[in-house]
Amino acid sequence: MKLNRWLSAIFMACLVLLSGCEIDNQTIAQNSLVYCAEGSPASFNPQTDTSGTTIDAIANQLYDRLIRFNDDNSIAPALAKSWHLTRDGKMVTFYLRKDVTFHQTEYFTPTRNFNADDVVFSFERILNTEHPFHQVSGGKYPFFQNVQFSNIVEGIEKINDHTVRFKLREANSSFLANLATDYAVVLSQEYGQQLLSQGRQEEIDSKPIGTGPFKLQSYQSGSLLRYYRHESYWHNEVKLNQLVFDITASDTGRLTKLLTNECDVIAYPIAPHKIKENPNLIVEEVTAFNIGYLGFNTQKAPFDDPQVRRAVAHAINKDAIITAIYGEQGEIAHSILPKSSWAHDSSVIPIEYNPEQAIALLQEAGYEDGLTFDIWAMPVQRSYNPNALTMAKLIQADLNQIGVKVDIVSYEWSTFLRRLGQGEHQSVLLGWSADHPDPDNFLTPLLSCNSAETGSNRAFWCDQEFDSLLKLALKTDNINQRKNLYLQAQAIFQRDLPLLPLAHSKRFQARHEQVKGKILNSFGGINFAEVSKL
């Protein structure tokens, strides 16, 4: 009720002030759109950063990939108009589209169109540690390292200007899906050569050049990101002349700007049911492939003991978390994989809320007098966890009931991620949004031994049998065999419980009714390529 009264107050205030609240739209050209985002991109190259904020801001606005996902999650042509996979699954040949242009900006004027050299350049940068651009931005390629891309690809060969061949070390059933993600973008080799000749290699990730529907005009960190239309975009006529990302970290600030017409579209709106009451506003939602979880650092006491992890799991009231944190925007997760995944294990027995059982397990583990540990709560809002701090407080209260003391820890986001990567935490509230529909995109980045070393496995859990099952599943295209292997892997996960699945959420976005076209994707970032504003 408090929230409703507060929102109503905002609505009323904005109605009164509406004439005065119309922002300097005169400075924004007609057919331009302002998107209020929750944060600034960490990079202008999605090869080097996997955060949702970065992907939203740049991946689909600036770049294209060889292939992409259709709405039904099938793989469709993009910069490659077609492809051929050999019978043994070890050779993939892409036939490239002609007459695709790169951006012309104040800092680069292309002299040729996209061709095979650009594909080789883009992926050699990731694979070849001797490549002149490999160490730019620290030599980190999180998505590709998590999927062990360098172990998958043996080499890339230019056959001719419009044909490229990837040679794989062995068949890999998720290879095409990986190339269709938002991270597998194609850069300009010609731009790279220009930067290299001028000794300014680092600008390849800060002054972007792509083939996407928009090109970068200006950027003020923490404030504004301005794109102009790519006039000769190959795929479709881009209807927006200008696309502006207004960086507004506060969720109430974004809502206020939507109501006062300073934003046309806002990310992660609070109280979407209230926004729906306004006939001039539209709330969109997609059922996302994601998971919000409590991760246990399995390399540190007390969570190096699976029995303690299970005890804590029994002490947490997931129903209360869903009600308080997600409302209608989430559902309880009993498994890492959402129900809509073809590899979801419907036979999993949920871990029931049972404080008595939690106490008994702790006593068996040697914690008769209780214990103390910390929970790291991320300071930012994510679709998989809209309010980690409040969630931590709920868990703190639950565990207090069984004699367990919880200290809640949080840092500024970049510090949080850095210290988390160093394994300083005992447990953490975090989550994952899948990049594509293949179940491997949940299981490998969150739970594989390799990702424990490269960063996204925050439990630092490494089980060789589990890892072997994931690798076997990638060697076959037989979906029944793959499902059987993933079910075995999930059984090991349920036995060891390195992460406690909490919730699967939906992603929401609010906009004015004058904004037309699809923006939200089930996987990955947002896309304004086919959006218009009346």
Side-chain angles (χ1 to χ4, degrees):
M1 292 300 292
K2 280 186 177 178
L3 181 60
N4 282 339
R5 284 201 297 271
W6 170 79
L7 282 169
S8 297
I10 288 182
F11 273 85
M12 288 304 297
C14 291
L15 285 174
V16 171
L17 297 172
L18 195 56
S19 60
C21 286
E22 291 182 0
I23 64 167
D24 54 344
N25 279 339
Q26 292 85 356
T27 66
I28 307 292
Q30 193 175 8
N31 291 328
S32 297
L33 185 144
V34 179
Y35 176 78
C36 278
E38 78 284 8
S40 300
S43 167
F44 278 92
N45 181 357
Q47 293 177 330
T48 65
D49 188 83
T50 57
S51 71
T53 302
T54 296
I55 297 305
D56 280 353
I58 65 169
N60 291 296
Q61 325 318 330
L62 290 168
Y63 297 101
D64 290 301
R65 289 140 289 277
L66 287 172
I67 48 180
R68 62 181 177 83
F69 289 110
N70 269 329
D71 290 342
D72 63 358
N73 298 329
S74 61
I75 292 175
L79 292 178
K81 60 185 180 183
S82 63
W83 58 93
H84 171 75
L85 180 65
T86 54
R87 189 168 296 178
D88 64 4
K90 296 174 66 175
M91 203 89 79
V92 189
T93 304
F94 291 97
Y95 304 97
L96 307 182
R97 201 176 296 275
K98 298 179 181 178
D99 302 322
V100 174
T101 61
F102 280 100
H103 301 153
Q104 179 173 344
T105 67
E106 294 178 352
Y107 48 89
F108 178 65
T109 299
T111 63
R112 64 164 176 80
N113 288 343
F114 155 77
N115 66 28
D117 289 327
D118 302 307
V119 180
V120 173
F121 172 80
S122 301
F123 291 98
E124 280 288 341
R125 176 188 174 178
I126 297 167
L127 293 167
N128 180 5
T129 57
E130 302 299 319
H131 191 280
F133 285 85
H134 181 79
Q135 291 300 331
V136 173
S137 299
K140 298 286 187 183
Y141 302 91
F143 173 79
F144 296 96
Q145 288 165 339
N146 284 340
V147 300
Q148 302 183 58
F149 197 65
S150 60
N151 291 335
I152 295 172
V153 178
E154 184 173 323
I156 306 170
E157 180 184 7
K158 173 185 174 182
I159 306 301
N160 59 47
D161 277 353
H162 295 97
T163 309
V164 170
R165 182 170 294 154
F166 284 71
K167 184 177 180 182
L168 310 187
R169 299 183 195 279
E170 57 187 18
N172 186 298
S173 57
S174 72
F175 176 71
L176 289 178
N178 288 333
L179 286 195
T181 63
D182 290 339
Y183 314 108
V185 297
V186 174
L187 311 177
S188 164
Q189 182 236 24
E190 184 185 16
Y191 179 49
Q193 287 179 329
Q194 174 182 299
L195 294 176
L196 187 63
S197 67
Q198 298 170 349
R200 298 186 290 121
Q201 294 96 310
E202 73 282 359
E203 291 185 10
I204 199 166
D205 295 333
S206 59
K207 291 185 176 180
I209 294 294
T211 60
F214 297 95
K215 58 186 179 181
L216 180 65
Q217 170 63 21
S218 60
Y219 173 54
Q220 299 170 40
S221 179
S223 176
L224 200 70
L225 176 59
R226 190 184 301 274
Y227 292 128
Y228 281 175
R229 174 169 60 188
H230 182 184
E231 295 85 355
S232 54
Y233 185 49
W234 63 274
H235 187 49
N236 57 273
E237 180 186 356
V238 182
K239 296 171 183 172
L240 296 174
N241 292 328
Q242 243 187 109
L243 173 62
V244 176
F245 277 58
D246 178 321
I247 313 300
T248 305
S250 161
D251 49 13
T252 56
R254 292 196 298 277
L255 176 59
T256 302
K257 287 186 175 182
L258 180 73
L259 296 172
T260 56
N261 294 326
E262 289 181 68
C263 298
D264 298 299
V265 186
I266 63 171
Y268 305 108
I270 53 174
H273 63 284
K274 188 67 180 177
I275 297 175
K276 289 176 182 174
E277 295 175 6
N278 187 320
N280 299 318
L281 301 176
I282 295 171
V283 176
E284 299 171 278
E285 64 179 68
V286 293
T287 302
F289 263 35
N290 63 27
I291 177 75
Y293 62 78
L294 174 63
F296 303 109
N297 188 339
T298 60
Q299 299 300 308
K300 274 188 172 182
F303 296 121
D304 53 349
D305 183 344
Q307 194 149 327
V308 178
R309 303 197 289 264
R310 188 162 295 277
V312 169
H314 277 296
I316 294 174
N317 187 342
K318 291 185 185 179
D319 284 324
I321 286 175
I322 294 296
T323 300
I325 305 296
Y326 296 89
E328 296 179 357
Q329 302 176 37
E331 62 181 29
I332 288 180
H334 298 301
S335 162
I336 287 290
L337 297 177
K339 292 177 183 174
S340 50
S341 169
W342 54 261
H344 173 78
D345 186 356
S346 57
S347 67
V348 168
I349 299 173
I351 297 175
E352 63 175 342
Y353 173 54
N354 188 334
E356 290 76 20
Q357 189 169 355
I359 292 171
L361 287 170
L362 282 179
Q363 289 174 343
E364 288 178 18
Y367 292 97
E368 296 86 351
D369 299 324
L371 76 154
T372 300
F373 69 89
D374 62 50
I375 289 182
W376 286 29
M378 58 182 187
V380 296
Q381 187 181 24
R382 288 290 180 267
S383 57
Y384 51 70
N385 190 334
N387 194 332
L389 188 59
T390 298
M391 187 184 289
K393 291 176 180 176
L394 291 172
I395 293 173
Q396 183 183 52
D398 284 341
L399 291 170
N400 187 52
Q401 297 297 314
I402 64 167
V404 173
K405 183 177 182 298
V406 171
D407 296 321
I408 298 172
V409 176
S410 194
Y411 298 101
E412 180 274 330
W413 186 223
S414 61
T415 303
F416 185 95
L417 290 175
R418 177 175 54 79
R419 300 184 73 158
L420 190 69
Q422 294 168 351
E424 297 181 19
H425 60 293
Q426 288 179 295
S427 68
V428 61
L429 286 170
L430 208 62
W432 178 261
S433 294
D435 311 299
H436 57 69
D438 196 291
D440 182 73
N441 194 244
F442 272 95
L443 301 174
T444 290
L446 289 179
L447 297 163
S448 71
C449 296
N450 185 65
S451 60
E453 297 178 1
T454 56
S456 56
N457 179 348
R458 306 302 190 182
F460 297 100
W461 179 69
C462 174
D463 183 277
Q464 296 299 333
E465 185 182 2
F466 180 90
D467 245 36
S468 296
L469 290 166
L470 296 191
K471 290 172 182 173
L472 284 173
L474 290 177
K475 291 181 179 178
T476 176
D477 282 329
N478 185 311
I479 197 164
N480 291 326
Q481 289 180 13
R482 292 191 73 198
K483 181 170 183 177
N484 180 267
L485 292 165
Y486 286 132
L487 292 181
Q488 293 179 55
Q490 289 175 80
I492 294 172
F493 168 82
Q494 289 296 133
R495 180 197 69 198
D496 277 16
L497 208 64
L499 311 175
L500 175 64
L502 295 172
H504 303 294
S505 75
K506 296 179 178 179
R507 179 170 177 176
F508 287 80
Q509 186 167 264
R511 62 178 170 181
H512 286 277
E513 62 173 353
Q514 295 95 332
V515 178
K516 306 295 182 185
K518 181 186 174 188
I519 300 173
L520 281 176
N521 291 325
S522 298
F523 301 97
I526 53 179
N527 190 336
F528 289 92
E530 299 184 5
V531 173
S532 62
K533 180 181 169 186
L534 300 179

